[in-house]
Amino acid sequence: MKRMLSGIQPTGNLHLGNYLGALKRFVELQDEAECFYCVVDLHALTVPRDPDELREKTLEVATLYLAAGLDPKKATLFVQSHVRAHTEAGWLLQCVARMGELNRMTQFKEKSQGSDGVVVGLYTYPVLQAADIVLYQADAVPVGEDQKQHLELARDLAERFNNRYGKVLTLPEPLIGKIGARIMGLDNPVKKMSKSAGSEANYIALLDEPDVIVKKIKRAVTDSENCIAYDPESKPGISNLLVIYSLITGQTIEETVQHFEGKGYGQLKKEVAEAVVEHLTPIRERYHELRQSGEVERVLAEGAEKASAIADETLARMKEAMGLVPPF
Ligand code: TYM
């Protein structure tokens, strides 16, 4: 059975892009692979955060994992900082990674632009991500398209480690969906939907109330043609809505385009909004039930224990291969 690992940062509001590009796929994969999913709270520290908010968001994401359908009997769910091996393996891989390759990371370049207070952790962020992955000997990593470069780095680091120290680490493959790997912003469909977008009109949060979802989709930027066609280049707004509808309803893009043939943009927006509301309502309701129940904390405690057992074993092998003397 293949092994998967992935993670989501507990920052901002989890949105439809995170859901369609990652979380919904995490749920699908739990039936066919051995899955490890973490809330990457250490990664969230790379940008200044209010500590109370970080704690709150970490539990929020973990609760959304469960509310979206992840089953702790099938998948191991944990908080990254609860498994100490991540920071340790992160250091070991920092001694394998090269400045040149980190300098090429486009996310670092984007996030550090115009800021003079960038912390070192933002720069070494992809190395910690590589540690997250290799510790579980993951064969594949389900992510959205924006993580592709980080995954290439993880694979390069694992390969270099093995070449230098002997075969210890599995080389991971990115698992990027054919559609939905880059859900675009509703207010600006040439840029990806993002947790850190300036305006709430950019995204649909998984916990948005139905009337908010309807309003945001109604206001989504489209074009002036009033002709429904799938063409991400020349009709990014309409194509984005078609992708959302298609993934939410389980239809192909072709079926979706056919379904909307001859209809106007108003009707498209109405039906997309209905489909999204119908899909997210049970998730939102489960979320609010679970948050009160104490179940999330139990799941995370058990998950950390299971994850640590595997991560510690890989970490010990990495250290031994690198020449570190084991504790006496
Ligand atoms: P993060 O928290 O930014 O995003 C979580 C997941 O959501 C995907 N995603 C999207 N997919 C489609 N359309 C979008 N607009 C969109 N926006 C985000 C992301 O690709 C991601 O899969 N560095 C990672 C977290 C991480 C990680 C890991 C992932 C840390 N360690 C190990 C995989 C394996 C991040 O910041 O994701």
Side-chain angles (χ1 to χ4, degrees):
M1 202 184 222
K2 289 222 169 183
R3 193 178 273 174
M4 312 272 160
L5 173 124
S6 199
I8 297 183
Q9 284 199 69
T11 52
N13 292 322
L14 232 66
H15 55 64
L16 204 57
N18 299 127
Y19 181 69
L20 297 175
L23 183 50
K24 183 166 179 288
R25 301 175 61 236
F26 294 0
V27 177
E28 288 154 9
L29 287 164
Q30 69 181 343
D31 289 314
E32 44 187 277
E34 189 187 355
C35 297
F36 292 83
Y37 298 125
C38 52
V39 183
V40 290
D41 55 346
L42 295 170
H43 277 104
L45 296 174
T46 53
V47 172
R49 305 272 167 216
D50 173 65
D52 286 333
E53 195 183 313
L54 178 57
R55 267 186 285 273
E56 174 69 22
K57 286 284 168 193
T58 301
L59 287 176
E60 183 177 303
V61 174
T63 310
L64 277 168
Y65 276 4
L66 291 176
L70 283 174
D71 177 352
K73 290 194 201 78
K74 296 180 183 167
T76 304
L77 310 180
F78 64 100
V79 174
Q80 182 190 32
S81 67
H82 294 176
V83 180
R84 291 189 185 178
H86 289 247
T87 35
E88 260 193 85
W91 173 257
L92 301 183
L93 290 183
Q94 277 187 56
C95 299
V96 174
R98 296 178 182 146
M99 302 274 286
E101 55 198 352
L102 296 190
N103 287 337
R104 287 195 291 275
M105 294 292 122
T106 49
Q107 264 201 2
F108 173 73
K109 285 192 226 168
E110 275 166 27
K111 286 193 180 176
S112 58
Q113 233 173 34
S115 163
D116 48 6
V118 172
V119 301
V120 178
L122 189 66
Y123 183 66
T124 58
Y125 173 116
V127 184
L128 179 60
Q129 181 163 350
D132 298 340
I133 297 165
V134 300
L135 277 174
Y136 299 88
Q137 307 283 6
D139 302 289
V141 185
V143 282
E145 200 179 83
D146 60 348
Q147 295 302 313
K148 195 163 172 237
Q149 198 187 28
H150 288 165
L151 288 193
E152 281 161 6
L153 177 78
R155 193 179 167 89
D156 288 348
L157 295 183
E159 196 167 22
R160 193 173 311 141
F161 185 100
N162 286 351
N163 288 339
R164 198 175 289 170
Y165 300 113
K167 195 184 165 334
V168 174
L169 305 175
T170 303
L171 306 190
E173 298 272 358
L175 207 62
I176 297 174
K178 282 200 184 70
I179 60 163
R182 193 175 170 82
I183 298 293
M184 309 309 271
L186 296 178
D187 60 345
N188 179 8
V190 294
K191 281 188 128 178
K192 70 169 184 182
M193 187 177 280
S194 165
K195 282 183 254 183
S196 50
S199 158
E200 289 200 357
N202 173 271
Y203 60 81
I204 290 174
L206 296 189
L207 296 174
D208 273 348
E209 295 291 333
D211 57 323
V212 176
I213 297 177
V214 171
K215 220 184 278 164
K216 285 182 179 175
I217 294 185
K218 226 185 224 168
R219 289 192 192 147
V221 170
T222 55
D223 53 61
S224 54
E225 286 175 1
N226 213 25
C227 153
I228 298 178
Y230 181 68
D231 182 350
E233 285 289 309
S234 68
K235 299 176 79 68
I238 290 297
S239 303
N240 194 37
L241 293 176
L242 290 171
V243 166
I244 292 172
Y245 185 87
S246 143
L247 287 168
I248 290 275
T249 60
Q251 294 179 31
T252 62
I253 283 287
E254 291 74 27
E255 286 164 347
T256 303
V257 171
Q258 226 165 42
H259 172 79
F260 286 109
E261 212 181 282
K263 295 182 185 168
Y265 288 1
Q267 183 66 18
L268 170 72
K269 286 181 168 179
K270 182 170 170 283
E271 289 194 40
V272 172
E274 277 166 10
V276 172
V277 166
E278 196 186 329
H279 193 89
L280 293 186
T281 295
I283 297 178
R284 193 182 64 256
E285 288 173 356
R286 264 201 306 275
Y287 170 86
H288 290 298
E289 280 163 32
L290 281 162
R291 228 14 235 282
Q292 314 303 327
S293 71
E295 190 183 335
V296 182
E297 290 79 353
R298 277 196 299 280
V299 166
L300 293 176
E302 211 178 280
E305 207 176 305
K306 272 201 235 163
S308 293
I310 292 175
D312 286 349
E313 193 185 315
T314 308
L315 179 66
R317 288 180 60 203
M318 289 172 78
K319 286 167 136 179
E320 193 196 347
M322 292 176 98
L324 300 177
V325 175
F328 297 107

